[in-house]
Amino acid sequence: MTAPGFSASHLARAYDAVVVRTQRAQIRGLLGAREGEAVADLGCGPGHLAGELALDVGPRGRVVALDREPGMVEAATVRLTGDRSRTVLADVTALPVADQQLDRAVAVQVLEYVPDVERALSEVRRVLKPGGTAVLVDTDWRSAVWHTDDRDRTDAVLRAWEGHFKHPQLPVLMPGLARSAGFTSVDVVALPMVETQTGADTYSMGMAAAIAHFVGRTEPVLATGWREDVKEQSRRGQYFFSLTRFATIVRR
Ligand SMILES: C[S@@+](CC[C@H](N)C(=O)[O-])C[C@H]1O[C@@H](n2cnc3c(N)ncnc32)[C@H](O)[C@@H]1O
């Protein structure tokens, strides 16, 4: 199950933010999908990236957009064009794809939720053609910088938020895990995002709401106070947010 605050429509709004659109373009660049290729978006969520990848591979190519949540698959189906592309309800640890079928695979903000990352990596390697590439993007939440008056409270909230993930610092483990899974080429690229203003169309204010919701289930006073502190920075014109995701680029 996706945690509360992360419905397909919530994610769809967050992923329209400028910083996320910019990062999606970077990820597409790192993946480098070409016309006619077979590509999978693993844990596709509402399908923004899958829809764009379908344009990259064109009518002769195909995209498999896969997620374990029916609501996400439904939302992604609307964004996915191309007769040869399809959405699938499935888990990244059991890919419904035959061996060595894909030129490329991408998983953005997915493996950090998966208990058995080793199994998922082994599946990704299995379905890639020899020489195929996968781009695996996750956040190290220790990279979060959120300017507030009460730094200790912010640290406490972000530590509590780490409970939302199976692996809140997965990127630092990924190179080792990828090599153990048999990938020969492993590179890492940092993908920072920065917002200095708030608004309905920003990523970080949507995240602040989701974090306050998650943390507030067990520590309501902490969560409410922190969210007010974040909003106060915005009112004063002193808002600052930064977070770094890391793309682990592996080749079979
Ligand atoms: C934070 S969202 C990211 C969505 C999308 N990749 C993006 O960046 O736009 C995480 C997605 O991973 C999916 N997910 C989590 N664990 C999964 C698993 N084991 N197999 C397939 N999908 C999974 C969730 O359902 C959710 O849609």
Side-chain angles (χ1 to χ4, degrees):
M1 282 289 286
T2 313
F6 282 101
S7 65
S9 61
H10 180 104
L11 282 186
R13 261 197 314 283
Y15 293 164
D16 279 332
V18 172
V19 288
V20 182
R21 276 191 269 138
T22 303
Q23 200 167 84
R24 203 155 50 239
Q26 288 176 287
I27 293 168
R28 272 169 87 184
L30 293 173
L31 188 65
R34 301 197 205 110
E35 209 169 324
E37 286 188 339
V39 177
D41 183 3
L42 309 172
C44 62
H48 293 68
L49 179 58
E52 294 172 9
L53 291 174
L55 302 177
D56 291 341
V57 300
R60 290 187 305 110
R62 67 188 171 95
V63 174
V64 179
L66 175 151
D67 204 284
R68 68 171 179 185
E69 294 285 336
M72 298 296 179
V73 171
E74 201 180 309
T77 303
V78 177
R79 290 192 170 82
L80 197 61
T81 56
D83 294 342
R84 306 190 61 220
S85 294
R86 64 189 169 106
T87 50
V88 187
L89 184 67
D91 198 288
V92 293
T93 57
L95 296 176
V97 178
D99 295 357
Q100 303 189 7
Q101 291 298 302
L102 301 177
D103 297 288
R104 293 165 211 273
V106 63
V108 180
Q109 300 290 116
V110 179
L111 297 183
E112 60 199 25
Y113 293 102
V114 176
D116 193 348
V117 178
E118 287 90 344
R119 172 93 198 138
L121 286 172
S122 147
E123 279 293 89
V124 171
R125 189 169 181 280
R126 179 182 68 74
V127 299
L128 282 177
K129 296 176 184 172
T133 300
V135 176
L136 310 165
V137 179
D138 288 284
T139 303
D140 185 330
W141 275 91
R142 288 172 298 190
S143 70
V145 177
W146 231 314
H147 174 57
T148 50
D149 287 342
D150 188 338
R151 183 173 167 190
D152 289 343
R153 180 171 54 194
T154 299
D155 288 347
V157 166
L158 291 175
R159 262 199 313 281
W161 169 241
E162 291 190 0
H164 172 76
F165 304 94
K166 283 285 171 213
H167 314 283
Q169 284 109 34
L170 184 59
V172 299
L173 304 175
M174 281 298 285
L177 289 170
R179 286 187 197 105
S180 298
F183 290 103
T184 47
S185 162
V186 180
D187 294 297
V188 178
V189 173
L191 302 171
M193 53 168 75
V194 177
E195 286 179 340
T196 61
Q197 289 189 317
T198 60
D201 55 349
T202 57
Y203 170 77
S204 55
M205 280 313 250
M207 284 307 294
I211 291 171
H213 179 89
F214 179 83
V215 176
R217 294 187 307 178
T218 49
E219 300 185 75
V221 175
L222 178 73
T224 308
W226 171 74
R227 193 154 178 225
E228 268 314 302
D229 195 345
V230 168
K231 287 182 184 167
E232 178 57 22
Q233 307 311 318
S234 173
R235 284 192 283 271
R236 285 187 207 150
Q238 291 180 344
Y239 189 76
F240 187 98
F241 165 82
S242 173
L243 187 67
T244 301
R245 294 173 173 178
F246 295 86
T248 307
I249 306 157
V250 297
R251 259 173 219 96
R252 180 182 168 149

